[in-house]
Amino acid sequence: MPYQQVIERKPARTTTKFTGEVTCKGGMSRGIVKDLSSAGICFQLNFDINAKTGEEVSIQSTEFGHLTGVVKWYRGDRIGIRLDPSSKTAAQISSYYKYFR
């Protein structure tokens, strides 16, 4: 049996289910934030916005406000977004956990 490398994620993810809006050069779509960590978001789109890996996006939600990031991956109607590593982003995510979890 071949050796399989296990990739371990550093930040813990939390399963979520709240709505938001993603905007990029390809367009804008509402959708659902499926999971959230201090480093990223898995977002399920209502409409395809032709988001490409490496493209900058902005995310808007009542729960955490306005965040920016980069598309890390896309599979079907879901995209993975790596959030900008800033103290403002960390504070917004921390606020979500404090008030909405």
Side-chain angles (χ1 to χ4, degrees):
M1 180 159 72
Y3 172 75
Q4 291 182 351
Q5 183 180 11
V6 176
I7 299 172
E8 203 171 306
R9 295 179 185 267
K10 293 192 189 275
R13 293 183 289 173
T14 302
T15 301
T16 60
K17 195 171 186 179
F18 58 86
T19 60
E21 186 175 280
V22 172
T23 306
C24 70
K25 285 192 304 186
M28 181 275 297
S29 176
R30 294 202 52 79
I32 300 171
V33 176
K34 299 301 278 183
D35 69 40
L36 176 67
S37 76
S38 60
I41 293 174
C42 174
F43 197 90
Q44 185 173 11
L45 301 166
N46 289 345
F47 304 102
D48 184 18
I49 56 174
N50 295 317
K52 306 292 182 224
T53 302
E55 188 172 354
E56 290 185 20
V57 294
S58 63
I59 308 105
Q60 182 71 38
S61 175
T62 303
E63 285 74 8
F64 54 68
H66 181 264
L67 298 173
T68 58
V70 174
V71 176
K72 194 70 175 165
W73 55 265
Y74 57 93
R75 292 181 198 111
D77 63 347
R78 293 184 183 201
I79 60 173
I81 302 167
R82 182 179 38 128
L83 297 174
D84 289 337
S86 70
S87 58
K88 179 183 176 211
T89 298
Q92 287 171 281
I93 299 299
S94 176
S95 176
Y96 164 77
Y97 287 121
K98 184 176 180 180
Y99 295 108
F100 292 100
R101 273 309 277 169

